[in-house]
Amino acid sequence: MSDRIRSGNRWLLGAGLALAFAGAAAAEEIVITDHENREIHLDAPASRIVTIPMPLASGVIALSGGTDRLVGLNPLSLTAIREGILGKIFPDAVNISDAVTGTDFVPNVEALAAVNPDLVVQWAGRGPEIVDPIVNAGLNALLIKYGTEELTRQYMTMVATAIGKPERIAELVDWSDVVQHDIEAKVASIPQDERPNVLYLGRSLSDITAAGDTGSYSSWYIALTGGRNAAAELDGTSSINREQIAQWDPEVILLNSFEPNLDVNWVYDDPILSLTKAAQQHRVYKMPLGGYRWDPPSQESPLTWMWLAELLHPELFDYDLRAEMTKAYKTLYNYQLTEADIDGIIWTAQQGDSLGYDQFAAQ
């Protein structure tokens, strides 16, 4: 297990102990320290939450066991709910207000007042213009940072604490630890020159973007599952062109799940990209969309890792992905996936004849 994750787990333990002592002193008050070291005080568990960061809407639903606490969300979170399976599992989720913020994360104070939240979750470290309107309106703002597994566990712990279910996060962290440790142990002996070059494209249709190693969650799980980031030379997320991709000549291309009209034919039909090793070897895959998109960190991330590990190194891994998904969705959402549900989440119809995808077929 990496030192960063061990550090994150120590943070979680410390947060749990602090909560226990606070509970002994004042049974009803909840005190949370957010990612800008601000203390948030709640007289009771939050029953009305607004989530402005996109991934956290589905996280609140998973932690709380339903949609009752979520009263506002980012329009892009609502899009993911409508396009993915969460709208089927929780039909009422499509009626949650997305007027509380724009996609630029600037809060709509009037819409916030209308939903009357106990807690508003907002980004940390992105300037006062997206925080001050919330605070000046007299609302509790919980500020979170994002982009690593460690940070994900921390802010999910904050939310679990805020809703009065701190025990819920332990189950999810334990699952993540088991999967991560298993994958790390199996890929540890793979020499670097035998790890495939993998390119994740965060956008493809309106613009083509990729990210280097620093601060990139996709680069982290590519390395975790035994690959190398083909775009490692980039400084952060950058726009790139087809000629740059051809120069890198990745062995595997991962397409984002954010663009609903994107499928693997975007690569195979392109006169330049079709010449890459990834296209020639039919190793182009679209990232799944479940309760949330599998590209960024979320409560479903261990499924992302298993999916990608199987595709990069099928000789090392024998996860039954469909069974793992079924078990996870029962835990996360108390929902029994159907075979058709699974096919929809992993985009079976959109993957074409991509190499190795037959291992995920229903038996």
Side-chain angles (χ1 to χ4, degrees), residues 255 260-266 268 284-286 343-354 357:
L255 300 178
N261 296 322
L262 178 66
D263 65 30
V264 296
N265 290 323
W266 180 80
Y268 295 135
V284 181
Y285 310 101
K286 182 177 174 72
D343 286 334
I345 291 169
I346 64 175
W347 303 109
T348 298
Q350 286 87 346
Q351 303 288 1
D353 60 351
S354 295
Y357 227 76

Side-chain angles (χ1 to χ4, degrees), residues 136-157:
N136 292 340
L139 299 173
N140 278 316
L142 175 71
L143 307 184
I144 67 167
K145 294 180 180 179
Y146 170 84
T148 69
E149 180 64 17
E150 179 182 355
L151 289 172
T152 302
R153 297 182 186 198
Q154 290 177 4
Y155 69 65
M156 290 288 280
T157 299

Side-chain angles (χ1 to χ4, degrees), residues 240-261:
I240 58 173
N241 56 36
R242 288 166 169 80
E243 289 72 22
Q244 177 65 77
I245 296 174
Q247 182 179 346
W248 287 331
D249 197 15
E251 297 165 81
V252 177
I253 294 177
L254 303 176
L255 300 178
N256 72 80
S257 66
F258 291 89
E259 297 171 299
N261 296 322

